[in-house]
Amino acid sequence: AQKITQTQPGMFVQEKEAVTLDCTYDTSDPSYGLFWYKQPSSGEMIFLIYQGSYDQQNATEGRYSLNFQKARKSANLVISASQLGDSAMYFCAIRGFQKLVFGTGTRLLVSP
Amino acid sequence: DSGVTQTPKHLITATGQRVTLRCSPRSGDLSVYWYQQSLDQGLQFLIHYYNGEERAKGNILERFSAQQFPDLHSELNLSSLELGDSALYFCASSRDRGKNIQYFGAGTRLSVL
């Protein structure tokens, strides 16, 4: 079975600074995918970034990058140059058999 | 906009009632997934359909059922509703190849009173 652990219930960052949201995972599958989703207060789940277990390079999507450390089983999300609109819940997920398994999420607050 | 459409956005109903949530996947996606998000359980996988066939079941109660139609839209039926069924229900769709990214709809917020 797959498991995701997000140990930071809340994070606080100032506008224009970078922030790292932690995610560790557990799986016995040799091939897996890791995902980050953003959930603003309006409720929708927005896909941000994907990392495959065999990908040689860390994934990047605009201001989002994924710091993938396979040996440590960690997949931290780095948001550079934070914006007020980044305030939201962030969920890390791993693809298990036919489904995504989510962590409990981290609430990020960006202040002016 | 993810391209996944869920209706209705909000549902308010009473205990014991039955409701139907609807999902239209992104164009070209054959897979539909249903998830429940509640304060106590977090985000939980309910069920997965691929091209009309059930592929996997998660923590789905027997009072809940789903189906995927030939036009690939899906419906989640919740019956004999209880207060604890109040939650945000998401539908997601994916291509089932390559990265197999699941794109989520905006969700249906169900309140059982």
Side-chain angles (χ1 to χ4, degrees), chain B residues 3 10 16 30 32 42 50 56 58 64 75 77 88-89 92-93 106-107 109:
Chain B
H10 302 275
L30 298 180
V32 169
Y50 176 80
F64 295 1
E75 293 180 356
N77 300 297
L88 186 53
Y89 291 84
S93 74
R109 188 169 296 278

Side-chain angles (χ1 to χ4, degrees), chain A residues 49-100:
Chain A
I49 195 166
Y50 166 85
Q51 180 81 43
S53 58
Y54 291 119
D55 293 343
Q56 295 296 315
Q57 293 194 323
N58 287 342
T60 60
E61 289 284 352
R63 294 186 299 110
Y64 303 109
S65 60
L66 201 151
N67 184 1
F68 181 47
Q69 298 189 44
K70 199 170 182 178
R72 294 188 174 189
K73 292 192 173 180
S74 76
N76 298 339
L77 177 70
V78 180
I79 305 175
S80 62
S82 297
Q83 301 173 355
L84 296 178
D86 294 334
S87 293
M89 282 289 289
Y90 289 81
F91 291 93
C92 181
I94 187 168
R95 183 172 55 231
F97 178 69
Q98 306 287 350
K99 66 181 181 183
L100 291 177

Side-chain angles (χ1 to χ4, degrees), chain B residues 3 5 29 33 37 39 42 44 46 48 56 59-60 67 74 83 98-99 102 104-105 107-108:
Chain B
T5 304
D29 286 358
Y33 304 80
Q37 185 179 32
L39 284 175
Q44 297 281 320
L46 295 178
H48 169 215
N59 300 321
I60 188 166
Q67 53 185 327
S74 178
L83 296 178
K99 297 176 181 178
Q102 291 185 23
F104 283 69
T108 292

Side-chain angles (χ1 to χ4, degrees), chain A residues 2 96-101, chain B residues 32-36 44-50 53-68 75-77:
Chain A
Q2 290 79 20
F97 178 69
Q98 306 287 350
K99 66 181 181 183
L100 291 177
V101 174
Chain B
V32 169
Y33 304 80
W34 287 96
Y35 293 85
Q36 179 195 59
Q44 297 281 320
F45 167 73
L46 295 178
I47 199 163
H48 169 215
Y49 275 85
Y50 176 80
E53 291 188 7
E54 182 186 302
R55 282 291 180 92
K57 267 187 174 179
N59 300 321
I60 188 166
L61 300 170
E62 286 199 12
R63 300 183 285 109
F64 295 1
S65 65
Q67 53 185 327
Q68 187 180 27
E75 293 180 356
L76 179 67
N77 300 297

Side-chain angles (χ1 to χ4, degrees), chain B residues 5-30:
Chain B
T5 304
Q6 285 188 253
T7 56
K9 285 182 111 47
H10 302 275
L11 259 181
I12 302 174
T13 188
T15 54
Q17 294 298 304
R18 183 180 191 274
V19 296
T20 298
L21 313 184
R22 184 187 167 102
C23 169
S24 294
R26 293 187 318 154
S27 176
D29 286 358
L30 298 180

